[in-house]
Amino acid sequence: MENDEEMKKDEFSYPGMGEIIFMKTEKFIENVLNWGRRNSLWPLTFGTSCCAIEMMPFGTTKVDSDRMGVLFIGDSPRQADMILVSGTITKKMARRLLNVYEQMPDPKYVIAVGACNVSGGLYHDSYNTIHGIDKIMPVDVFIPGCPPRPEEFMDAVRVLQKLIKENRSKAQMDHERIL
Amino acid sequence: MKEYFEKLKGVLGNKVKDFGVDGTEYSVLLVDKKLLKTAAEIIRQDFDVLFMLAVADYKPKFELNYVFSSYDKPDTIVIRTYITDRDYSIDTLTEVFDSANWEEREAYDLFGIKFNKHPDLRRILLPEDWPGHPLRKDFVVTDEVRNWTGLDLKF
């Protein structure tokens, strides 16, 4: 009973009540922004090997990415929200990947596709590949498989949408909020 | 097939040895690596392109197989020579065959063989600041090598 009264007291007679209203407004705007972000994820396709072949059906009719807002419109990093890194990343390619990644506007999301990008995969003992791209860039969602099926791309986008909704994506956690 | 060898033997004498024919491929052993350019100039009269340079590490020496082919003949000729010096250098063939440029850059990249007077001897496959030459027998893949990225990471 005492707790309930305290809560009531807090709710109605807290001195910084204006701040709460402001925070709620901020939260509201953030929710609206996240709603927009998660329902219109334009991808940048960074395909270097066989996973890119599985990425192509993701945009075609059978596994239709358009209905989730993932439109394969023009591969430009300047208009992309997320990057689909599909394929083995060698150490020479890692610089090019980061170069492209840094051109993307914030907030940016990363999906690592395939065993090579999760842990090194087939090339776990190689001298010339990056063993998991989480070593060089923040990754939101990993898709295992060698290569994964196109349906798993859809699953990854669903997971990413959930992360954005809950403010748990790397871009929202690591960087300062835009607001 | 035999006439190519006879042509080489006419100029280089006993510095070349016959390795025999395998299908349409004819192998020749070149004893002295300094005569490689002379041999390549003779081969250039009959063959058009150096389409492969295969290197093998039998430490301490390197075996180099230059494979030449022609556009209008089915024949292939292989010149095999060895590098035994400690400086691992050999003359370039870029002045005779243009395709030697990238093949020799690859051999330099992965084996560390120096090609004298090569116009553009840079790495071709690995990053420019890569430490070591990975296809050598004495190259050990350690964790340090595996985790090397050469990147200045910000996150």
Side-chain angles (χ1 to χ4, degrees):
Chain A
M1 283 298 285
E2 279 182 11
N3 282 341
D4 281 358
E5 278 175 14
E6 271 181 22
M7 275 178 71
K8 271 186 177 178
K9 198 181 170 187
D10 277 27
E11 198 174 340
F12 292 108
S13 64
Y14 183 66
M17 209 164 142
E19 282 178 35
I20 292 177
I21 293 167
F22 174 72
M23 279 172 72
K24 279 183 177 170
T25 319
E26 195 182 62
K27 187 83 187 162
F28 173 74
I29 294 169
E30 198 176 271
N31 284 345
V32 173
L33 278 177
N34 284 347
W35 173 78
R37 280 169 189 156
R38 72 172 183 269
N39 286 311
S40 173
L41 287 166
W42 284 18
L44 171 66
T45 52
F46 197 88
T48 53
S49 55
C50 39
C51 289
I53 305 294
E54 297 295 314
M55 185 169 60
M56 291 167 202
F58 177 49
T60 55
T61 38
K62 196 176 176 186
V63 187
D64 194 1
S65 68
D66 280 16
R67 59 198 157 134
M68 307 172 77
V70 181
L71 308 182
F72 286 85
I73 302 175
D75 273 345
S76 166
R78 306 295 170 102
Q79 280 115 43
D81 299 303
M82 67 170 175
I83 181 168
L84 284 160
V85 186
S86 36
T88 318
I89 301 297
T90 59
K91 282 171 183 172
K92 199 171 183 178
M93 191 52 121
R95 299 156 194 220
R96 280 77 183 167
L97 173 62
L98 282 186
N99 193 358
V100 170
Y101 174 73
E102 281 162 6
Q103 290 179 49
M104 289 165 62
D106 277 324
K108 46 195 172 189
Y109 313 104
V110 182
I111 295 182
V113 182
C116 294
N117 289 335
V118 176
S119 65
L122 201 62
Y123 306 103
H124 70 281
D125 205 23
S126 164
Y127 57 85
N128 198 29
T129 57
I130 302 287
H131 308 294
I133 60 162
D134 55 330
K135 285 182 182 167
I136 58 168
M137 58 207 281
V139 180
D140 290 301
V141 186
F142 292 95
I143 310 179
C146 188
R149 288 190 61 83
E151 290 86 345
E152 293 183 48
F153 285 81
M154 199 156 72
D155 185 45
V157 171
R158 291 290 295 275
V159 172
L160 181 58
Q161 286 178 343
K162 200 182 168 197
L163 288 178
I164 295 169
K165 188 180 181 182
E166 294 168 3
N167 268 330
R168 278 165 55 211
S169 76
K170 285 279 161 59
Q172 286 154 319
M173 281 164 68
D174 293 353
H175 300 285
E176 288 207 350
R177 302 277 169 82
I178 290 168
L179 278 173
Chain B
M1 296 295 281
K2 196 75 178 168
E3 71 264 19
Y4 307 131
F5 179 68
E6 293 301 328
K7 216 169 179 177
L8 280 170
K9 196 154 182 88
V11 180
L12 301 172
N14 59 355
K15 294 285 185 185
V16 286
K17 284 178 186 166
D18 194 353
F19 255 32
V21 184
D22 180 16
T24 57
E25 190 173 290
Y26 193 86
S27 296
V28 173
L29 176 69
L30 189 69
V31 177
D32 192 355
K33 69 167 188 178
K34 285 171 187 162
L35 295 172
L36 179 70
K37 201 173 172 186
T38 319
E41 276 161 1
I42 299 161
I43 289 166
R44 187 73 176 92
Q45 296 163 11
D46 300 310
F47 291 88
D48 299 315
V49 61
L50 164 73
F51 83 89
M52 191 168 77
L53 166 59
V55 187
D57 185 3
Y58 300 105
K59 61 176 184 177
K61 64 183 178 182
F62 285 112
E63 179 192 286
L64 278 77
N65 293 289
Y66 289 83
V67 186
F68 303 94
S69 75
S70 170
Y71 290 128
D72 43 35
K73 283 178 289 208
D75 303 336
T76 304
I77 189 163
V78 182
I79 299 282
R80 176 176 296 179
T81 186
Y82 290 95
I83 302 179
T84 48
D85 298 348
R86 287 192 65 80
D87 61 337
Y88 299 129
S89 69
I90 193 166
D91 284 341
T92 180
L93 290 187
T94 43
E95 290 152 28
V96 191
F97 292 93
D98 285 341
S99 61
N101 192 326
W102 281 18
E103 297 285 348
E104 287 174 354
R105 277 177 66 185
E106 189 184 355
Y108 163 73
D109 190 356
L110 301 174
F111 285 95
I113 298 167
K114 300 276 189 302
F115 290 91
N116 300 329
K117 295 178 188 171
H118 191 285
D120 185 24
L121 197 61
R122 288 180 291 130
R123 285 181 180 275
I124 190 170
L125 295 171
L126 298 171
E128 293 78 20
D129 47 353
W130 176 271
H133 302 286
L135 287 195
R136 279 190 182 182
K137 282 280 189 289
D138 54 5
F139 183 87
V140 184
V141 183
T142 57
D143 279 349
E144 199 181 334
V145 173
R146 278 192 206 95
N147 296 328
W148 183 91
T149 55
L151 296 169
D152 183 21
L153 294 171
K154 286 171 191 159
F155 89 103

